[in-house]
Amino acid sequence: MVRIAQGLLTPQAQAQVQAALAPGEALAGLASWADDIRKVRPETGPWHYVDIPLNSTGLDMMRDCPKGNCVIAKIEEFRDRWRNPSVSAEGRREALLFLVHFVGDMHQPLHCVDNSDQGGNQVPVVFQGSATNLHALWDFGLLRTMRAEDELLGQLQQAITPQVVTEWSRGTVEQWAMESWRTAQTSVYGPLPAHTPDQPVQLGEGYAKMAQPVVEQQIEKAGVRLAAILNASAQ
Ligand SMILES: [Zn+2]
């Protein structure tokens, strides 16, 4: 996702990003920093998701983003901080690292939905013979069955035409989150076979075939939108 974004940065945005990193540091290698610090900064936990109820009419910021502690408000906050030249170098660097991570998180549909199951973490799944849960499946499980990373990157980049860059760069952070929530309805929960709560859901080839293009497009959208945010900030 980060490598997709980097390929779309303007020279000015690229220079700003480089200036915020230490020599030899790569942005892609820092994408999990926000997860690494969760234990020592527990207040950042709710910043990784927004709980839009699965069966609702959609986002209600008052209900779903209390006190601005959700991924939508934090992307907006860190975008503004990254943009602000009067913020310290350290503060801007931290804003960049949060942005990179949260734009990715927001495009994982289970980070934008609440079905009283901790974003799918409490839904046991058996996928192609191995035990996992619905959240982990959408985090990594489906990716693992896809192509090797470099091959996948090339394939995803080919799908990103100037036309989709324009289309996906439009809209607000709230609209992007709503889109991810709709994807959770139509592609994550909707196609789940009927199951009893105490039995793991059996998912096989059919679910994987449906879900993989969705995962790919979410990664592409995240890359395009991270680039859109960083490019707009560099103007
Ligand atoms: Zn996260």
Side-chain angles (χ1 to χ4, degrees):
M1 186 286 272
V2 178
R3 286 163 73 191
I4 290 173
Q6 283 181 304
L8 296 168
L9 291 182
T10 60
Q12 297 93 312
Q14 182 62 47
Q16 285 188 346
V17 167
Q18 257 344 298
L21 301 177
E25 236 176 13
L27 194 57
L30 296 165
S32 59
W33 170 85
D35 274 340
D36 301 338
I37 59 139
R38 264 174 100 146
K39 276 208 179 87
V40 288
R41 292 171 66 177
E43 75 281 7
T44 65
W47 301 359
H48 294 250
Y49 56 86
V50 57
D51 275 338
I52 310 173
L54 179 66
N55 297 305
S56 68
T57 52
L59 176 68
D60 174 342
M61 284 296 275
M62 294 285 278
R63 179 193 62 199
D64 306 334
C65 191
K67 297 181 185 158
N69 275 315
C70 77
V71 72
I72 298 172
K74 289 298 162 184
I75 289 174
E76 291 170 342
E77 182 183 323
F78 289 119
R79 177 190 60 191
D80 295 345
R81 198 175 296 180
W82 169 247
R83 233 170 237 188
N84 185 345
S86 62
V87 171
S88 70
E90 202 186 329
R92 292 187 72 240
R93 175 189 160 86
E94 187 178 289
L96 175 66
L97 300 191
F98 275 128
L99 265 180
V100 166
H101 183 88
F102 292 156
V103 173
D105 272 357
M106 190 178 67
H107 285 81
Q108 205 277 46
L110 284 164
H111 281 251
C112 288
V113 70
D114 180 34
N115 193 33
S116 307
D117 59 12
Q118 290 202 342
N121 277 298
Q122 291 173 344
V123 181
V125 162
V126 174
F127 176 63
Q128 297 182 337
S130 26
T132 179
N133 68 64
L134 193 61
H135 188 99
L137 181 69
W138 280 83
D139 266 354
F140 329 103
L142 289 161
L143 273 178
R144 253 184 225 132
T145 64
M146 287 153 66
R147 298 154 189 232
E149 196 187 341
D150 283 335
E151 199 190 332
L152 180 65
L153 179 71
Q155 183 204 328
L156 298 185
Q157 281 173 326
Q158 273 185 3
I160 301 172
T161 60
Q163 203 178 344
V164 303
V165 170
T166 308
E167 190 185 320
W168 291 343
S169 300
R170 277 193 212 117
T172 63
V173 181
E174 290 187 17
Q175 286 168 337
W176 297 343
M178 278 283 287
E179 193 187 86
S180 197
W181 168 75
R182 266 184 234 108
T183 302
Q185 288 182 321
T186 57
S187 303
V188 180
Y189 286 101
L192 279 189
H195 57 282
T196 50
D198 50 338
Q199 286 285 320
V201 192
Q202 300 283 338
L203 297 177
E205 200 56 36
Y207 193 84
K209 275 216 169 83
M210 174 284 302
Q212 277 163 6
V214 178
V215 173
E216 289 177 3
Q217 193 174 78
Q218 291 304 106
I219 295 171
E220 292 162 5
K221 282 182 174 171
V224 165
R225 288 167 177 167
L226 176 61
I229 289 173
L230 298 177
N231 286 342
S233 306
Q235 278 169 4

